[in-house]
Amino acid sequence: MRMIEAVRAAITEEMERDERVLVMGEDVGRKGGVFGATDGLYAKFGEARVLDMPLAESGIVGIAIGAALNGLIPIAEIQFADFIHPAFDQIVSEAARTRYRSNGDWSVPIVIRTPFGGGVHGGLYHSQSIEAFYAHVPGLKVVVPSTPADAHGLLKSAIRDPDPVLFLEHKKVYRLVAEDVPDSDHLVPIGPAVVRREGTKLSCFAWGLMTHYSLQAAEQLAAEGVSVEVVDLRCLAPLDRETILESVRKTGKAMIVHEDNITGGFGAEVAAIISEHAFDSLDGPVVRVAAPDIPAMPFNTPQEDFFMPNPEKIAEAMRKLAAY
Amino acid sequence: MPTTSPGLVTLVPPRVQSTEPVTARAPGTDLQPHTLLALYHTMVMARTIERRMWVLRRLEKMDIPVRRVAGFEALQVAAAAALRPGRDWVVPCQLDLALCLALGTSPLDVMVGTFGSRAARVLTTTAAAGRHVLHAAGIAYAEQVAGGDEVTLVCTDRDAIESGDWHEGINFAGAHSLPLICLVEDIAGGLLHAEHGDASPAARAEGYGLAAETIDGGDFETALAAFQRAVGRARAKGGPTLIHAVVVELTSRAPGGGMRPPEELEALASLDPIDRMRRGLMTAGVLDAAADEQIERECASIVAAAVDNVWSRDEQGG
């Protein structure tokens, strides 16, 4: 099963399990979503539970919040992460804050799903990585699966979570890999990271597409005799600090790879945690491999290649850090 | 037609357009005398709270914002009277002291702005104008999906209708014919942050497929009749309604800036919704002067006790 199919399966299973679950978003109904994540759901569950929404993202999230306050469990789809910004206020100031603001009286059990990331010639407005904006916000969970099985199990956990979850699906990973997905009762808990490849010389932390690129780079380094540990963070909020620190204490060197531009990216937070809590274990600088600080991902191939981290860039950074 | 006094701002702006004419004074209500008295009590309580908060603020004994309600009391208790408390949903804004009191929020919670209660189906309030209209639309959509006949009331000030979220929420409510009532609480001649175009709130709502009317928000019977029409429409699956309620601001501050002259203040007093309600109840034989004084004393006592409660908590560091 590929990741897009795993996402669809998770939604379908949860809608079958609990009639309070519904999906809402642009083109999620008759069209089945631009990537097909909700394909077939309109016919199966009907218009009231598979709701086509106006092209107004604040409305999509705000109405999902209201429906959740009145007992439903909405899965709001933002068609591309680049377009989530009109809903920033509803996500940050309302969904994430409602439990705190009401002293626990109200909660907002919504999932906001959105495809993010580049490398598919999406250009300036269909390629952004937005995780840093939202991982900064207390009260909001931010989940970024990199495999079909994780997408399936984490999305089911997100739907059953009593608080808001932002669920980021890398669009290039949708059809990049296929694997067996556990049966419908299998949940992946939100929070724990997973070590995708064990190693001894340096630790590489990544999420989404960058997990796959980091694994490819680690494979190159293994052929050169350098053992690299690759940790897929999977969840940026809450963040599994223990797994990060445990890995760094073992290898003594740390690298963070992300596709978002480097300044203020989530890698800075991981680097700060390592510096603060595993300083004595470090045997080299904490390194970030990330996109350059330019306003958006370019469209044409040479410029997109320049912007995106890739296995070669990551492998080169690993070599330098291993040799430090 | 609403009263217009020389030197005062017109209660209803002349360019108002709506699906129904500005509502004339209703002939009466079907409420029982004890209900009317309870609502009047709530109106007096709300005004007492606001006045007490102003005093505490001026004495620098309180640093939370004063909750403004003067002029809106009749409108808000009329809304509560038309709903089924605890079953229908209410999404208030920061103006809604009297509404939340009428729905069961304690005077102390109202004073500190803690309006929300899940048990009472009164949503916790947000600060930004218009944002909560989307939540109300979502709540109403969930009710529609559930197939019940519960109504959702969302209240906003006049400025909120300029926000994008207001338009997105009202558009959704109209498109899905939701059981939603949007109350726009407007001060006649009040200063707007910015206003664009000539369309009144009612005309804008009509554009989105809502029934809409503009009313004299200072008159209890008029407001009650408007809410009863809207609630009836929503329960009968007839779709959403916008009620644009216009009241006068009962302060010495003139709408355009500066202070009101004494004769204008005197004329204003005749438009005070509490005075209008009191006169109506006395004429109907529901209230007399002694009972009115008793209500004022009770409200003052309850508010004083609430303030003492807060101060004693402060002293205990609670």
Side-chain angles (χ1 to χ4, degrees):
Chain A
M1 191 181 281
R2 295 175 298 180
M3 195 162 97
I4 188 68
E5 291 149 359
V7 166
R8 190 187 310 131
I11 296 171
T12 305
E13 289 158 15
E14 291 303 295
M15 291 183 76
E16 287 170 340
R17 183 186 64 83
D18 189 338
E19 65 179 14
R20 296 174 301 167
V21 179
L22 75 162
V23 296
M24 49 175 57
E26 296 160 10
D27 299 322
V28 299
R30 287 186 172 84
K31 184 177 175 62
V34 291
F35 290 98
T38 55
D39 190 28
L41 300 186
Y42 183 88
K44 186 177 177 70
F45 298 106
E47 186 176 6
R49 293 181 68 196
V50 187
L51 186 59
D52 280 319
M53 295 290 286
L55 271 69
E57 287 75 12
S58 184
I60 293 170
V61 175
I63 288 165
I65 290 170
L69 292 168
N70 192 7
L72 297 181
I73 302 174
I75 305 168
E77 178 180 302
I78 302 297
Q79 199 165 73
F80 288 90
D82 309 64
F83 306 133
I84 200 170
H85 306 307
F88 189 87
D89 200 22
Q90 288 288 345
I91 296 170
V92 172
S93 304
E94 300 297 325
R97 200 171 288 174
T98 294
R99 181 182 287 282
Y100 181 81
R101 192 175 77 201
S102 66
N103 200 23
D105 197 22
W106 301 87
S107 66
V108 179
I110 62 170
V111 180
I112 304 158
R113 292 182 43 250
T114 188
F116 81 105
V120 294
H121 294 302
L124 280 69
Y125 293 100
H126 295 78
S127 304
Q128 287 185 61
S129 294
I130 59 161
E131 67 271 18
F133 295 127
Y134 295 95
H136 177 69
V137 179
L140 186 65
K141 296 183 177 75
V142 179
V143 178
V144 196
S146 66
T147 69
D150 269 5
H152 182 259
L154 283 165
L155 182 52
K156 289 166 75 75
S157 292
I159 293 166
R160 299 184 195 191
D161 197 284
D163 291 303
V165 179
L166 179 63
F167 200 84
L168 303 176
E169 301 159 8
H170 199 291
K171 61 178 79 73
K172 190 163 186 173
V173 181
Y174 271 150
R175 294 177 171 84
L176 184 72
V177 292
E179 65 179 356
D180 289 338
V181 171
D183 65 40
S184 63
D185 290 332
H186 180 74
L187 301 180
V188 176
I190 294 175
V194 60
V195 178
R196 295 286 179 202
R197 179 190 180 101
E198 293 207 11
T200 57
K201 282 290 185 185
L202 71 89
S203 302
C204 177
F205 304 99
W207 52 92
L209 176 65
M210 292 302 119
T211 301
H212 297 282
Y213 285 180
S214 297
L215 285 166
Q216 290 173 33
E219 192 68 31
Q220 291 182 35
L221 270 285
E224 299 165 20
V226 179
S227 172
V228 175
E229 179 148 302
V230 178
V231 180
D232 180 1
L233 295 183
R234 300 197 290 194
C235 304
L236 305 185
L239 182 64
D240 184 355
R241 295 172 173 221
E242 283 313 306
T243 297
I244 294 169
L245 295 172
E246 192 180 316
S247 180
V248 173
R249 286 174 184 136
K250 181 174 76 172
T251 64
K253 289 179 177 171
M255 167 185 291
I256 305 107
V257 181
H258 61 68
E259 183 179 326
D260 194 5
N261 54 292
I262 191 163
T263 300
F266 193 73
E269 179 62 26
V270 178
I273 289 168
I274 293 168
S275 301
E276 196 169 354
H277 299 289
F279 184 78
D280 291 343
S281 303
L282 286 174
D283 192 27
V286 180
V287 170
R288 288 175 292 168
V289 178
D293 288 329
I294 58 176
M297 188 168 304
F299 176 78
N300 67 69
T301 299
Q303 287 187 313
E304 188 183 74
D305 289 346
F306 173 79
F307 185 97
M308 286 283 288
N310 59 31
E312 290 67 36
K313 292 179 189 175
I314 298 167
E316 184 55 30
M318 286 175 174
R319 285 185 198 98
K320 284 174 69 176
L321 181 57
Y324 184 87
Chain B
M1 289 290 291
T3 309
T4 304
S5 302
L8 288 178
V9 291
T10 307
L11 257 180
V12 177
R15 290 182 307 215
V16 156
Q17 301 167 15
S18 63
T19 50
E20 297 176 33
V22 172
T23 314
R25 184 180 177 82
T29 77
D30 52 2
L31 299 180
Q32 296 295 314
H34 69 273
T35 304
L36 290 168
L37 275 179
L39 294 172
Y40 175 69
H41 190 289
T42 300
M43 293 169 64
V44 175
M45 177 69 80
R47 182 72 62 86
T48 307
I49 287 172
E50 186 194 302
R51 284 184 174 161
R52 186 66 182 151
M53 290 179 80
W54 274 121
V55 170
L56 292 170
R57 182 90 182 173
R58 297 263 160 79
L59 292 172
E60 298 184 349
K61 292 187 172 182
M62 183 188 79
D63 56 7
I64 55 177
V66 174
R67 304 281 154 182
R68 302 291 298 275
V69 71
F72 293 108
E73 297 94 339
L75 174 72
Q76 293 178 11
V77 300
L83 297 171
R84 297 181 300 207
R87 288 186 59 188
D88 292 319
W89 290 80
V90 175
V91 184
C93 68
Q94 74 282 358
L95 294 169
D96 294 319
L97 272 72
L99 172 61
C100 291
L101 284 170
L103 293 168
T105 309
S106 74
L108 177 57
D109 281 344
V110 163
M111 287 179 79
V112 298
T114 310
F115 289 172
S117 160
R118 191 169 182 80
R121 292 191 166 182
V122 178
L123 192 61
T124 164
T125 47
T126 182
R131 234 190 242 154
H132 60 307
V133 176
L134 289 171
H135 308 158
I139 289 169
Y141 181 75
E143 282 301 338
Q144 188 178 65
V145 170
D149 71 347
E150 278 76 14
V151 169
T152 301
L153 169 68
V154 59
C155 309
T156 76
D157 61 17
R158 178 66 170 78
D159 282 328
I161 75 161
E162 310 295 344
S163 74
D165 281 350
W166 185 89
H167 286 269
E168 291 181 26
I170 295 300
N171 176 44
F172 187 80
H176 289 272
S177 196
L178 296 181
L180 181 85
I181 301 165
C182 178
L183 169 63
V184 178
E185 301 180 72
D186 194 2
I187 296 171
L191 290 173
L192 297 173
H193 289 112
E195 185 166 17
H196 305 286
D198 290 343
S200 71
R204 294 181 193 206
E206 276 188 284
Y208 289 117
L210 278 72
E213 59 180 304
T214 298
I215 64 167
D216 170 5
D219 184 75
F220 172 77
E221 292 173 13
T222 299
L224 180 64
F227 283 112
Q228 287 174 332
R229 281 191 293 276
V231 168
R233 182 179 294 119
R235 293 210 204 289
K237 320 296 182 198
T241 302
L242 179 133
I243 296 173
H244 174 210
V246 186
V247 306
V248 290
E249 186 172 26
L250 299 168
T251 68
S252 54
R253 190 183 68 185
M259 305 302 283
R260 295 183 196 271
E263 63 275 13
E264 193 173 307
L265 276 172
E266 196 173 323
L268 261 184
S270 69
L271 298 174
D272 185 326
I274 293 182
D275 291 343
R276 293 164 81 176
M277 182 79 159
R278 182 190 299 115
R279 289 196 297 270
L281 293 177
M282 286 183 167
T283 302
V286 174
L287 179 73
D288 59 26
D292 189 34
E293 284 177 21
Q294 176 67 17
I295 288 171
E296 297 233 2
R297 277 197 301 274
E298 277 179 20
C299 290
S301 170
I302 290 168
V303 171
V307 172
D308 288 345
N309 185 334
V310 173
W311 282 346
S312 66
R313 283 196 220 174
D314 281 350
E315 285 164 8
Q316 294 162 16

